[in-house]
Each structure stands twice: as C-alpha cells, then as structure tokens.
Amino acid sequence: MCGIVGYVGERDAVPVLLEGLRRLEYRGYDSAGIAVQTPDGLGWRKSVGRLTELEQALAANELHGRPGIGHTRWATHGEPSTTNSHPHLDGTGRIAVVHNGIIENYQALRDALGACGHTFQSDTDTEVLPHLIEAELAQGAPDSETALRQALQQARGAYALGVLFADQPDTVYAARLGSPLIVGIGDGEYFIASDVPAIVKHIREVIYLNDGEIAVLTPDGVTVKNLEGEVIEHKRHPVAIAPEAAERAGFETFMLKEIHEQPRVLRSLLESHLTDTDRVHIPDIGFSDDYFQLLRRIMIVSCGTAYHAAMYGKFLLEHLTGLAVETDLGSEFRYRSPRIERDTLFVAVSQSGETADTLASLRLAREMKCKVCSICNVVGSSLVRESDSILYTEAGPEIGVASTKAYTAQLLAFALFSIHVGRARGELSDARAAALVKALAAVPDAIHYVLERADRIRAIADKHHDGPSALYLGRRFNYPTALEGALKNKEISYQHAEGYAAGEMKHGPIALINEYMPVICVCTQTDDEVYDKMISNVREVEARHGRIIALATDGDRQVADLAEDIIYVPPISEEFSPLVNVVALQLLAYYAAQARGTDIDKPRNLAKSVTVE
Ligand code: G6P
C-alpha cells in the first residue's frame, strides 16, 4: 500500500526522500511523488510507474529544498496517473499533502468545497484534504496547525498524513488515524515514515503515533498533540532493527535473502522460548494456566499468507490442546455475525500488524469482550497495541512482498503456543511435550538441508514453469502447505495455481488433470494413514497422466516410483513438517518466477501491507 516519508533537517530533502521511498517500494505502488520547500514556495515532482521515472523527472527538472514529504501511491480512487499521484495541493499551491488510507466522506467534502469555488485536479479522495485546510485558513484559522486540526476533525475514514506548508518554514506535520505512521528521531534530524526500515539508518529512536494524533516536526524537535491541540507526552522507543536488516546482503532479491534467513530466524525464536530444561516458556503470554484450563474456544483470524498459518494453528491446537478452534479470514469475519463469547480467545495473526481487515476483526472481538492474543512481527504496530497478549515472531523486517520467513515464524509461534496451552490444560504429559520440543529443535537444520538442495528445485522449476496452471495438493497439517505453495507461485510467478486438500480433488480439480498439468504433491512420510491416503491421491493423478512433482521424505522409494520429479526433505515429525516443506515450495515458486522474468520483490498489483479494506 502507499508509503510515506518526510524529512526535517539541514540536508537537501530530495535525496533523503528518494532513498526513503526506495526502501518503501516493497509495500507496493504504481506512482510516486515528492514536495519540498524552496525559496520560491513549494516545489514538487510526480510520476507514474517506478521510482526511476521520478528520478528521471528530477534529472530533467532539478529540485532542491528542505524540509520535504514523499509518497509512493497504490491506486485506490482513480487510476495510476501523474495527476492522481501525491503530493496533492490546495488551490493556491501552498499546501501539500501525502496520504495513506481512505477518506470515506470525500465525496460529500468535495461537493461542499466545490460549491464554495474549489476546483479539483484529480480523482482521488486525498485531494479534499489540502483544500479543506485551505478553506479553514481562509475562514480565519489562526495558523496552519489549527487549520490542519480543524480539517481533520471533518474527515472520516483512515489516514496517515504528511503535510507541508509554504508559509511555515522548517516544519512538517504528520497525522494518523487507522493507517501506520511513525516519527523517527535522528541527530538533529526528524523523519516520518510508514515503517521503521524506510529510515532506520538515520534514526536512533521512534515514536509510534496513536490514532487521532498530530506530530509537529521542526529542527528543534517533535511535539505530539491531539486533535484538540493538547500536547501528549510520548515514549520514545530505541530502534530495535539493525540497519543491515533492511539490506539485501549480497542476495539478488530480498525474497531469496529472507528464504535463506529461515534457519537462523527459527533457531533464534526457538531459543528465546525454551527454558534451560527445554520447556516452552512464552514470557509475554499474559494468561495464567488457569485461564487456559477454563478456556472453551479459540477463534483465529488473519489474511493472506497469515491465514494459512492460522489454518495450521487450528490443526495443531486441536491436536495438542483439545480445544475447539475456528479460523476465518479478516474480510469475512468482520461482515458475518460471528457467535463468539467472552470465553473465546481471539487470536489475530499478522506479519505487519497493520492489515485493515485483521485489525477490524480484532476490534469486533474486543467489542464482544473477548481476550485478544496476537501473533505479530512488528513491534509497535496497531495490532500489538490493541492486544492483551503478544507472541512476537521475531523474524526481523520482511521486505519481499511475498511472505516467507514471517510465515514459518508464524508456524513456529503456533507450535510453541500449542505446546504451552496443551501443557497448561494438562493435555500434554511432560514426556510428550519434551518429545515435541525435540522434534521442533530439528526444524532449522532440516530447512538448511532443503536450502542446500536449491539447485535441484531450480531445475524442476525451469522444467515446469511455462504451463498455464499448477495444482498443489496436501492433507491435514500439509493442507495449508499446499495452499501456501500455490499462493507463493501465483503471487510472484503469475502462473495460475490452485491449492487443494488432496482428498477433495475428486470433487472438482481432477477434471483439470491431463498430461500437461503439473501437480505438486506434498507427501512427506508419516506414521499414520494420512501418508497412505496421500499416496492414493497421487496414484489418482498418475492414472490421469498428470505431471507429478512430489515433495517426499529422503529415501522414499514409493513416491519416487510415482513422481516425474521429486524434491526430498529430511525426515521430520508430521506436526512440524509444514515448516520444512513450505521452504521447498517457496524456492519452487521463486525459481519459476525467475524463469518467467517477473519482478520478484515487487510483484505487480500486490502490496506488502494492506492497510485499506
Ligand atoms: C498482503 C501481503 C501478504 C500478507 C497479507 C497479510 O496481501 O502481500 O504477503 O500475507 O497481506 O498481511 P499481514 O501483514 O497481516 O500478515
């Protein structure tokens, strides 16, 4: 979704803004723009397409100045065009606004402003904001800040804003309601940004703005106020991310780097949640064992890849805790009439902690008086701030749009959580819990084994990437793995892919199978009937001449005899096999995308963090 960056300091703002926008590229965008103060008033440049287009516009027509604001736009209201790009200006060209979110009552505001003589250039909802501020000033607001506050009191919807006034030197305003925005504090320099990685190398501390707050950034410091103008004291948080975490570190893409980070991320998450005696310990869980004993139900809600983690969480929690567990998509949960009661624990799963539908669902659950536990990757995110309890995935910044390390960290978080709850409820004996921890501890090395065989996976991707479609099949714990493998493939390679519960294949997708159809079958070995059932499904594909690509346990001859191509993974317990299997599917999608020549870190039309419905 849209990205915002702003700068107040001694330097020329233009290169600082461009660099910040480049670091926000991963969020997804289709146009970009900046505005700075110059001795002659505000100067701005905008362009459609990638940031290189904006850089070309700046090379053709130089711009320098400070302070400044910048924006990458992911179109919602109005097509991607220079006119619709941000910053948007008022009628006098003296107020510039960049905005992430949606002003829901923009049409009514636009009509009212239009009736007073304001004319609009763009199709966007955002453009009403500079005009509203202009109108407030014209109607006697004593200063820019008051005009901004009065304008925002009329806006409904969601926003993160950066605002620049030609008549207010050395000042950038920021405002937040429902869309992410942080203030960064450097050495005599101040920044705003949609997230920390965009400005991490310049700052020491962060202020996480709350909804309904305005920040005033000047060379003398930052003041935060509410919409009534009252000053709010804010805690400054030290920056917890190392600047190099937002770099590619020699990998050709962020996605490949993040795929390779998984053994380290999972090992460290495990270590921070195991005691000296190898028992699961979740420091911030915030709920007593008694609470879990009395608990009746868990409802897990999330979107996208995080929803596949939720499905895995459901299967594992049911398996290890005896609780009734349900899942739903954020976009569905919030619009149905969910029957959840106080004794339901609501679990929200989100990498960013800013996904609009997940957040709205969490708020609904809170209205229903449920306790909320979040599994989240981003410290200080909205989800974290609105939850009773947090299980951080500690995966570090994830820049590739297609989620990889955040997903496996979510799976591991569910594994740790399930063992914790299972023990608290007396469903897991000491011996069983110890065996589970031992099996979990084998996961990072097993992933490493898969990564070491990436060339074999690349060869398979090269062979199968050019078909129109691919089918992914899995069962039980690996049903979400099949869904996630298919999602990765379509997200980055744009090959149509469908994930299915293998047992459901006969009820539809079997009609698609012919000698051209790649069918990726997750059939790693287990001790029980699920493996045998999966083999029967693979035989059904074979009988219809489908092209079987199997994910199998090292040494499995039965699968080798059936498959055209095979990716081996080391033996791993069935419960935790999805953490390993999915890495092979991430690589398969990655190399298919590479063969198809797509922009892997920034796939078309996708956004990393979906902050609007
Ligand atoms: C977008 C991203 C996905 C992500 C989903 C949910 O669609 O492209 O990678 O899984 O949002 O995001 P969240 O931050 O809530 O996990």
Side-chain angles (χ1 to χ4, degrees):
M1 298 268 109
C2 305
I4 288 179
V5 63
Y7 172 72
V8 175
E10 288 295 313
R11 288 187 272 168
D12 179 9
V14 174
V16 181
L17 295 173
L18 283 174
E19 189 210 353
L21 292 180
R22 185 137 327 272
R23 290 175 185 278
L24 289 172
E25 276 192 299
Y26 75 92
R27 295 171 69 88
Y29 72 106
D30 39 47
S31 58
I34 58 171
V36 295
Q37 272 182 358
T38 76
D40 307 321
L42 297 183
W44 62 90
R45 303 282 184 274
K46 311 182 194 189
S47 65
V48 184
R50 295 292 184 203
L51 279 172
T52 41
E53 315 287 329
L54 181 62
E55 280 163 349
Q56 278 162 18
L58 281 159
N61 189 3
E62 274 194 32
L63 179 68
H64 302 282
R66 64 183 160 82
I69 51 178
H71 189 265
T72 46
R73 173 174 187 254
W74 191 85
T76 54
H77 292 61
E79 59 168 10
S81 69
T82 310
T83 316
N84 286 336
S85 310
H86 300 214
H88 287 286
L89 287 107
D90 70 318
T92 66
R94 302 191 71 74
I95 306 167
V97 172
V98 291
H99 168 219
N100 174 14
I102 291 178
I103 305 299
E104 285 166 1
N105 59 337
Y106 86 99
Q107 195 58 56
L109 292 170
R110 195 168 158 128
D111 292 346
L113 287 161
C116 303
H118 289 258
T119 54
F120 295 90
Q121 316 296 321
S122 77
D123 305 319
T124 66
D125 53 325
T126 303
E127 200 183 356
V128 297
L129 293 174
H131 283 265
L132 262 184
I133 302 168
E134 179 193 358
E136 289 301 326
L137 281 169
Q139 284 160 28
D143 51 49
S144 322
E145 186 187 316
T146 311
L148 172 62
R149 281 194 276 107
Q150 288 172 349
L152 292 183
Q153 281 163 0
Q154 298 165 60
R156 278 207 324 272
Y159 54 75
L161 298 180
V163 187
L164 197 61
F165 291 87
D167 303 321
Q168 180 103 29
D170 292 327
T171 308
V172 164
Y173 291 95
R176 175 195 157 124
L177 185 75
S179 295
L181 196 66
I182 56 135
V183 176
I185 296 151
D187 289 326
E189 303 185 303
Y190 302 90
F191 299 78
I192 57 172
S194 299
D195 63 25
V196 177
I199 51 173
V200 66
K201 73 181 227 200
H202 305 295
I203 62 171
R204 290 176 283 105
E205 291 177 317
V206 179
I207 294 174
Y208 296 106
L209 290 181
N210 291 318
D211 284 348
E213 291 180 347
I214 290 182
V216 190
L217 285 72
T218 70
D220 298 328
V222 179
T223 311
V224 181
K225 298 182 180 176
N226 61 20
L227 287 189
E228 281 68 51
E230 294 156 348
V231 173
I232 296 172
E233 290 308 324
H234 245 280
K235 198 170 163 210
R236 294 172 170 209
H237 299 264
V239 176
I241 303 170
E244 53 282 10
E247 307 290 344
R248 284 211 307 269
F251 284 91
E252 60 202 21
T253 59
F254 278 108
M255 184 175 174
L256 194 61
K257 175 193 171 213
E258 287 155 8
I259 289 173
H260 281 266
E261 280 178 327
Q262 291 176 107
R264 180 186 56 73
V265 164
L266 299 191
R267 196 170 286 121
S268 137
L269 185 61
L270 255 175
E271 280 166 7
S272 63
H273 289 87
L274 293 182
T275 64
D276 292 345
T277 52
D278 279 352
R279 290 179 69 143
V280 171
H281 165 67
I282 306 183
D284 301 323
I285 194 71
F287 300 118
S288 65
D289 286 1
D290 287 349
Y291 170 80
F292 286 119
Q293 276 158 23
L294 295 174
L295 190 64
R296 306 245 321 262
R297 205 166 147 229
I298 293 182
M299 179 83 219
I300 315 174
V301 173
S302 46
C303 303
T305 284
Y307 181 66
H308 299 152
M311 290 176 72
Y312 171 75
K314 168 189 160 76
F315 296 162
L316 201 63
L317 280 159
E318 285 173 348
H319 185 60
L320 300 180
T321 71
L323 280 163
V325 186
E326 256 192 87
T327 57
D328 207 347
L329 295 160
S331 53
E332 288 297 316
F333 180 82
R334 63 185 293 195
Y335 292 114
R336 63 185 175 94
S337 311
R339 291 189 51 81
I340 54 171
E341 279 121 35
R342 282 164 184 268
D343 56 4
T344 299
L345 174 65
F346 183 90
V347 177
V349 192
S350 173
Q351 187 284 128
S352 63
E354 301 292 350
T355 301
D357 285 323
T358 306
L359 268 173
S361 301
L362 177 155
R363 289 171 187 152
L364 193 61
R366 292 205 79 101
E367 276 170 29
M368 294 171 178
K369 311 277 182 237
C370 292
K371 292 279 184 215
V372 174
C373 171
S374 283
I375 295 181
C376 189
N377 198 35
V378 178
V379 176
S381 60
S382 303
L383 201 73
V384 163
R385 285 185 284 165
E386 296 184 34
S387 299
D388 298 298
S389 138
I390 320 291
L391 220 170
Y392 280 114
T393 40
E394 299 175 16
E398 190 180 66
I399 312 281
V401 165
S403 188
T404 52
K405 63 175 179 173
Y407 178 67
T408 45
Q410 285 162 355
L411 301 188
L412 180 55
F414 268 120
L416 293 164
F417 183 65
S418 303
I419 297 171
H420 178 92
V421 177
R423 293 223 10 97
R425 289 173 59 79
E427 291 278 333
L428 290 179
S429 66
D430 283 354
R432 173 93 173 103
L436 288 165
V437 167
K438 193 165 171 231
L440 262 184
V443 165
D445 283 346
I447 294 177
H448 190 68
Y449 174 105
V450 173
L451 295 174
E452 280 189 324
R453 285 153 184 80
D455 283 349
R456 169 82 192 120
I457 300 176
R458 185 205 296 262
I460 296 173
D462 284 348
K463 187 170 155 195
H464 295 279
H465 73 265
D466 54 0
S469 188
L471 182 62
Y472 287 68
L473 300 177
R475 292 187 87 113
R476 197 154 79 167
F477 296 112
N478 280 300
Y479 166 35
T481 309
L483 296 180
E484 177 60 12
L487 177 65
K488 285 293 85 91
N489 193 17
K490 59 189 148 198
E491 278 181 316
I492 59 168
S493 86
Y494 313 152
Q495 180 185 48
H496 172 256
E498 188 127 29
Y500 244 83
E504 188 67 9
M505 182 179 61
K506 288 193 216 44
H507 301 287
I510 201 163
L512 300 171
I513 296 174
N514 59 19
E515 65 273 34
Y516 305 111
M517 179 69 142
V519 185
I520 295 90
C521 304
V522 184
C523 36
T524 42
Q525 239 158 15
T526 63
D527 298 333
D528 63 18
E529 58 182 357
V530 168
Y531 171 76
D532 296 334
K533 298 284 174 204
M534 192 64 214
I535 295 295
S536 305
N537 297 131
V538 178
R539 287 192 193 286
E540 289 159 4
V541 177
E542 186 202 27
R544 283 147 191 95
H545 309 293
R547 303 185 66 179
I548 298 166
I549 302 163
L551 213 64
T553 307
D554 213 351
D556 185 335
R557 292 307 317 158
Q558 186 170 205
V559 178
D561 289 344
L562 289 169
E564 175 179 334
D565 288 298
I566 191 154
I567 301 170
Y568 283 119
V569 299
I572 190 100
S573 74
E574 191 208 354
E575 290 98 337
F576 306 131
S577 63
L579 285 87
V580 180
N581 292 343
V582 78
V583 176
L585 300 188
Q586 292 166 353
L587 286 170
L588 195 63
Y590 185 88
Y591 291 122
Q594 205 175 47
R596 290 166 74 102
T598 62
D599 188 352
I600 293 178
D601 276 342
K602 299 185 284 288
R604 71 181 176 212
N605 303 337
L606 290 178
K608 178 73 184 161
S609 173
V610 179
T611 52
V612 296
E613 272 194 62

